[in-house]
């Protein structure tokens, strides 16, 4: 389980519209991720600005980056997403976590969610 010290940077990173949009795009894309240039084009953000935002998400532990030739491919860290959801619901409803059971819909694809 994440500590406050680990969770806060993730929430701060998601607190910017461009980073939230990139994170949501990567969630939809699944474990294969996308090259940074495609993310920038999809979100209509300058590539240099997008690189800054993606690096922020990576430092927060929300995405991974791997070099593919001249490109960097980013993918969401599903394990960290699960950890954040667990962190948010750990104290759900005074010891009745079943109340929070429906907060996350079941996966609808083979993304490994």
């Amino acid at each position: 389980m994440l500590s406050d010290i680990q969770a806060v940077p993730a929430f701060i990173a998601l607190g910017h519209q461009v980073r939230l949009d990139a994170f949501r795009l990567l969630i939809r894309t699944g474990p294969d991720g996308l090259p940074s240039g495609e993310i920038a084009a999809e979100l209509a953000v300058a590539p240099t600005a997008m690189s800054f935002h993606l690096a922020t998400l990576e430092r927060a532990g929300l995405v991974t980056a791997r070099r593919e030739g001249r490109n960097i491919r980013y993918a969401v860290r599903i394990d960290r997403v699960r950890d954040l959801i667990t962190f948010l619901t750990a104290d759900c409803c005074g010891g009745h976590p079943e109340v929070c059971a429906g907060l996350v819909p079941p996966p609808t694809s083979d993304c490994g969610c």
Side-chain angles (χ1 to χ4, degrees):
M1 175 130 139
L2 295 179
S3 68
D4 290 2
I5 292 172
Q6 295 168 310
V8 169
F11 292 123
I12 290 170
L14 292 172
H16 188 281
Q17 188 66 55
V18 171
R19 291 191 290 270
L20 181 60
D21 290 346
F23 179 79
R24 295 186 74 205
L25 174 62
L26 289 170
I27 284 282
R28 287 191 304 273
T29 302
D32 290 335
L34 291 170
S36 59
E38 286 184 36
I39 298 168
E42 177 74 23
L43 300 179
V45 174
T48 53
M50 193 75 257
S51 292
F52 168 79
H53 290 300
L54 291 167
T56 301
L57 291 170
E58 183 183 18
R59 282 190 305 276
L62 294 169
V63 300
T64 60
R66 69 178 184 271
R67 183 164 291 284
E68 293 180 345
R70 294 178 49 185
N71 296 312
I72 299 176
R73 180 175 291 267
Y74 289 88
V76 72
R77 286 190 54 196
I78 296 298
D79 62 324
R80 185 53 66 102
V81 174
R82 282 191 191 110
D83 290 346
L84 282 172
I85 292 167
T86 300
F87 175 84
L88 286 172
T89 59
D91 300 319
C92 182
C93 300
H96 298 284
E98 67 277 3
V99 175
C100 297
L103 288 178
V104 180
T108 58
S109 69
D110 298 331
C111 76
C113 302

